[in-house]
């Protein structure tokens, strides 16, 4: 049986700030269902609910050398839906009021990477493959080569590094190399960890892993270009033959309009009229004008430049004047939060801005809205549009990354397509596309046929999990 360890800084249901957590939670489950001995290791954050903490069992503690210090590392374990999760405990690093955004991120995640490698032999689990996710785990393949290969336990371990978002790389001053990572200056060259005079964790993961993946085929090509490459395009191009784009899936049990317990009225493709009951409830709850005939366009997202918030804010009046209702759910940069709050004050019955993280409201929006807006300037995969498709809420997206791989713009001549899209990152093109979608909204026969196309798409993990298994097999055949 193939033994795989996921290393991640977040994972559903324990902690989530974005799509990475969803992927770790749902892909691990899908791999388990396919007979892989999959385990996940992550930090024991203070924000994990007491209910979940009460399910964890303390295994033992060890001390991990970091710089000149020896740091405490507790090891906990818990089993959920068959998947075993391990947790690295150190209250100084991880018992904080949020999970990211501190002055000592380099130290926190350098500790995490080292602690993972030092703890593993004590778990009793011997992975064939260590599958690392995003920059927080980028030092694992580096430490593995630098410190561990000589030990019997690590001799044959292979590594896979998945880039979920190239924008976040973990770039820190050079001083950490010796002081924190205990690595010599030999590692500070452009073909290793050096990046513009700094140390780059993600670059370490890219260079030292046996194979690489990213979360959609289009993004895997895009990041090898200067425009999307975030200054790592050269390094990625050099590893082009080891880089694979595997589309993320979504958890089809969690996101199922037929059984979703968080939504007001369950519905299916055969009874799409019931979706309207969710819409009326949503309009009532959010204080919007209540009518089944007013289209709702929604956005559920981190409010960061990546997500195309600038073009939405610059075209807000035009969007509202299309005669629709705009529902926003998200948190992020303060300037964006304030713009959406003012838009709500300006159009109280037409705009609803919900500046918070709220899982229940998210499900109710996916179920109650008509359209889902994702005009991202780049998008590694994007889960929002896939969830929206599952709920028959038609996505309007910019053609980039995973959005391009999942949304096919409706073609009125062939009647094919599951949503609407535009090519250039431009507010006018976006508004034009919203207007184009609304033209079809008024023809219920056509509209329902596009909804059917959307709901019939399959973005479950089944096919993608198989692709990961193929790569794991390729790795151990090395
Ligand atoms: P990213 O990983 O870049 O943040 P994705 O589209 O891949 O974007 O994943 C975002 C996930 O987080 C989706 O499941 C989305 O529904 C959820 N999400 C984002 N913001 C919120 C929020 N404010 N409240 C609830 N869920 C949210």
């Amino acid at each position: 049986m193939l033994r795989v360890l996921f290393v991640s800084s977040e994972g559903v249901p324990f902690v989530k700030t974005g799509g990475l957590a969803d992927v770790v939670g749902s892909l691990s489950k899908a791999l388990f269902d396919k007979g892989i001995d999959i385990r996940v290791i992550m930090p024991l954050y203070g924000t994990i609910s007491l209910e979940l903490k009460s399910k964890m069992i303390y295994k033992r503690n060890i001390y991990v050398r970091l710089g000149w210090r020896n740091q405490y590392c507790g090891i906990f374990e818990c089993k959920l839906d068959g998947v075993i999760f391990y947790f690295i405990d150190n209250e100084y690093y991880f018992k904080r009021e949020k999970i990211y955004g501190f002055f000592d991120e380099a130290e926190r995640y350098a500790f995490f990477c080292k602690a993972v490698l030092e703890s593993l032999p004590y778990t009793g689990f011997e992975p064939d493959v260590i599958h690392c996710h995003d920059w927080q785990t980028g030092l694992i393949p580096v430490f593995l080569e630098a410190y561990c290969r000589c030990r019997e336990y690590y001799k044959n371990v292979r590594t896979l590094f998945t880039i979920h978002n190239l924008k976040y790389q973990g770039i820190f001053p050079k001083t950490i190399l010796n002081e924190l990572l205990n690595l010599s200056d030999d590692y500070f060259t452009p073909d290793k960890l050096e990046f513009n005079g700094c140390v780059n964790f993600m670059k370490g993961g890219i260079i030292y892993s046996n194979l690489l993946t990213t979360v959609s085929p289009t993004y895997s090509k895009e990041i090898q270009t200067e425009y999307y490459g975030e200054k790592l395009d050269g390094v990625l191009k050099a590893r082009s033959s080891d880089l694979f784009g595997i589309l993320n899936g979504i958890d089809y049990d969690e996101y199922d309009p037929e059984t979703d317990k968080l939504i007001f009225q369950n519905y299916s493709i055969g009874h799409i009229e019931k979706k309207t009951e969710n819409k009326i409830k949503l309009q009532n709850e959010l204080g919007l004008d209540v009518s089944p005939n007013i289209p709702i366009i929604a956005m559920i997202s981190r409010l960061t430049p990546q997500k195309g918030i600038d073009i939405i804010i610059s075209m807000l009046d035009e969007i509202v004047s299309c005669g629709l209702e705009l529902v926003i759910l998200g948190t992020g940069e303060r300037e964006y939060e304030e713009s959406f709050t003012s838009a709500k004050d300006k159009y109280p019955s037409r705009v609803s801005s919900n500046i918070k993280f709220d899982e229940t409201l998210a499900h109710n929006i996916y179920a109650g809205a008509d359209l889902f807006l994702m005009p991202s300037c780049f998008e590694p995969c994007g889960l929002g549009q896939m969830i929206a498709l599952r709920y028959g809420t038609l996505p309007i997206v910019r053609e980039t990354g995973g959005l391009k791989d999942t949304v096919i713009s409706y073609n009125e001549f062939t009647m094919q397509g599951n949503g609407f899209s535009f090519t250039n990152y431009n507010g006018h093109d976006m508004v034009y596309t919203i207007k184009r979608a609304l033209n079809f909204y008024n023809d219920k026969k056509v509209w329902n046929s596009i909804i059917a196309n959307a709901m019939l798409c399959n973005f479950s993990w089944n096919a993608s999990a198989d692709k990961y298994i193929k790569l794991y097999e390729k790795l151990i055949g090395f």
Side-chain angles (χ1 to χ4, degrees):
M1 189 194 268
L2 203 60
R3 291 160 303 188
V4 179
L5 178 79
F6 273 14
V7 190
S8 173
S9 67
E10 47 184 286
V12 163
F14 299 98
V15 262
K16 164 169 167 176
T17 69
L20 167 64
D22 287 312
V23 173
V24 167
S26 50
L27 174 58
S28 58
K29 223 158 62 173
L31 290 169
F32 175 81
D33 290 342
K34 287 180 180 287
I36 304 294
D37 186 354
I38 172 83
R39 320 244 173 143
V40 182
I41 190 161
M42 54 193 280
L44 181 54
Y45 292 109
T47 52
I48 297 175
S49 74
L50 283 177
E51 192 199 335
L52 286 167
K53 272 188 191 146
S54 69
K55 298 196 166 116
M56 297 176 190
I57 299 161
Y58 168 79
K59 300 238 343 159
R60 63 171 291 154
N61 71 68
I62 57 170
Y63 279 81
V64 174
R65 189 169 140 78
L66 195 71
W68 52 270
R69 281 176 289 183
N70 270 328
Q71 300 289 44
Y72 170 88
C73 165
I75 307 167
F76 284 72
E77 186 183 311
C78 135
K79 199 171 187 177
L80 271 191
D81 296 331
V83 179
I84 293 177
F85 287 77
Y86 300 112
F87 296 88
I88 297 292
D89 178 36
N90 177 302
E91 295 197 348
Y92 170 69
Y93 290 128
F94 302 127
K95 196 175 177 188
R96 301 187 185 181
E97 75 281 6
K98 53 180 185 172
I99 77 169
Y100 304 128
F102 299 100
F103 69 98
D104 57 349
E105 298 295 78
E107 186 172 335
R108 296 173 76 219
Y109 291 103
F111 166 76
F112 176 58
C113 291
K114 236 178 177 181
V116 166
L117 289 170
E118 294 299 326
S119 306
L120 261 186
Y122 298 102
T123 61
F125 182 55
E126 290 191 32
D128 300 303
V129 177
I130 299 183
H131 184 164
C132 303
H133 297 268
D134 264 355
W135 76 262
Q136 294 88 349
T137 65
L139 291 180
I140 294 219
V142 181
F143 288 155
L144 191 65
E145 296 308 326
Y147 306 125
C148 304
R149 278 291 181 216
C150 50
R151 284 146 70 180
E152 190 56 38
Y153 178 89
Y154 293 105
K155 235 181 199 137
N156 298 315
V157 176
R158 301 288 167 209
T159 48
L160 175 65
F161 185 75
T162 295
I163 301 166
H164 293 260
N165 193 336
L166 191 64
K167 184 88 186 165
Y168 306 98
Q169 298 179 6
I171 300 167
F172 304 104
K174 192 217 161 193
T175 45
I176 68 158
L177 190 75
N178 314 133
E179 288 172 16
L180 200 62
L181 313 184
N182 305 96
L183 292 172
S184 74
D185 281 357
D186 290 352
Y187 284 84
F188 201 66
T189 56
D191 60 332
K192 292 182 179 156
L193 299 184
E194 192 272 338
F195 180 82
N196 287 342
C198 297
V199 172
N200 184 325
F201 281 27
M202 185 171 266
K203 188 175 175 188
I206 292 171
I207 285 174
Y208 284 87
S209 294
N210 297 115
L211 288 179
L212 304 167
T213 64
T214 186
V215 289
S216 68
T218 294
Y219 192 61
S220 76
K221 304 254 163 12
E222 286 175 343
I223 56 176
Q224 297 180 54
T225 66
E226 199 179 341
Y227 185 78
Y228 290 102
E230 303 290 343
K231 299 194 165 64
L232 286 177
D233 42 304
V235 179
L236 288 160
K237 240 188 317 208
R239 295 220 57 192
S240 186
S241 57
D242 297 327
L243 171 62
F244 301 85
I246 302 179
L247 196 67
N248 282 337
I250 54 169
D251 185 330
Y252 263 40
D253 298 329
E254 187 189 347
Y255 296 108
D256 182 354
E258 276 193 66
T259 55
D260 190 336
K261 290 198 173 59
L262 297 176
I263 66 175
F264 178 66
Q265 172 65 57
N266 291 118
Y267 59 96
S268 62
I269 192 167
H271 288 282
I272 198 62
E273 70 286 351
K274 287 191 185 167
K275 183 169 165 52
T276 312
E277 294 175 41
N278 292 296
K279 175 170 174 175
I280 302 291
K281 181 86 181 349
L282 187 68
Q283 288 171 322
N284 265 311
E285 254 176 32
L286 300 180
L288 297 167
D289 284 342
V290 178
S291 161
N293 299 322
I294 306 173
I296 299 182
I297 187 162
M299 178 162 204
I300 302 172
S301 177
R302 287 182 296 116
L303 303 179
T304 63
Q306 172 193 339
K307 301 293 181 180
I309 313 294
D310 291 303
I311 58 174
I312 298 178
I313 289 170
S314 70
M315 300 305 280
L316 231 142
D317 294 327
E318 283 83 347
I319 295 173
V320 176
S321 70
C322 293
L324 44 70
E325 291 173 341
L326 176 66
V327 173
I328 305 286
L329 171 61
T331 56
E333 296 194 6
R334 184 180 299 175
E335 183 195 329
Y336 293 146
E337 295 185 352
E338 284 168 0
S339 297
F340 283 127
T341 307
S342 336
K344 179 184 183 166
D345 294 341
K346 190 168 172 189
Y347 303 106
S349 60
R350 288 298 170 129
V351 175
S352 167
S353 301
N354 306 276
I355 308 301
K356 56 181 174 177
F357 195 95
D358 185 336
E359 201 74 52
T360 305
L361 181 56
H363 280 245
N364 281 291
I365 294 173
Y366 283 120
D370 299 292
L371 288 158
F372 191 79
L373 187 58
M374 254 175 117
S376 309
C377 44
F378 70 94
E379 194 60 71
C381 177
L383 300 178
Q385 84 283 11
M386 294 198 258
I387 303 170
L389 287 166
R390 177 99 164 123
Y391 284 78
T393 301
L394 303 183
I396 296 182
V397 304
R398 180 175 163 249
E399 290 155 19
T400 183
L403 297 174
K404 195 170 169 181
D405 293 334
T406 51
V407 177
I408 301 157
S409 207
Y410 181 66
N411 178 330
E412 58 268 52
F413 303 107
T414 62
M415 292 170 67
Q416 282 171 334
N418 56 10
F420 304 91
S421 66
F422 57 99
T423 311
N424 294 319
Y425 186 67
N426 174 310
H428 295 285
D429 288 9
M430 178 185 69
V431 171
Y432 171 82
T433 310
I434 293 174
K435 285 183 178 158
R436 180 169 177 256
L438 294 182
N439 277 336
F440 297 114
Y441 179 78
N442 296 321
D443 183 340
K444 282 293 160 254
K445 202 165 155 239
V446 172
W447 191 253
N448 285 341
S449 77
I450 313 174
I451 290 182
N453 292 349
M455 293 180 81
L456 286 170
C457 293
N458 188 340
F459 294 112
S460 69
W461 271 107
N462 193 30
S464 297
D466 284 341
K467 290 185 181 147
Y468 277 107
I469 293 172
K470 280 225 162 66
L471 280 190
Y472 299 145
E473 284 166 350
K474 183 177 162 110
L475 272 170
I476 53 174
F478 266 25

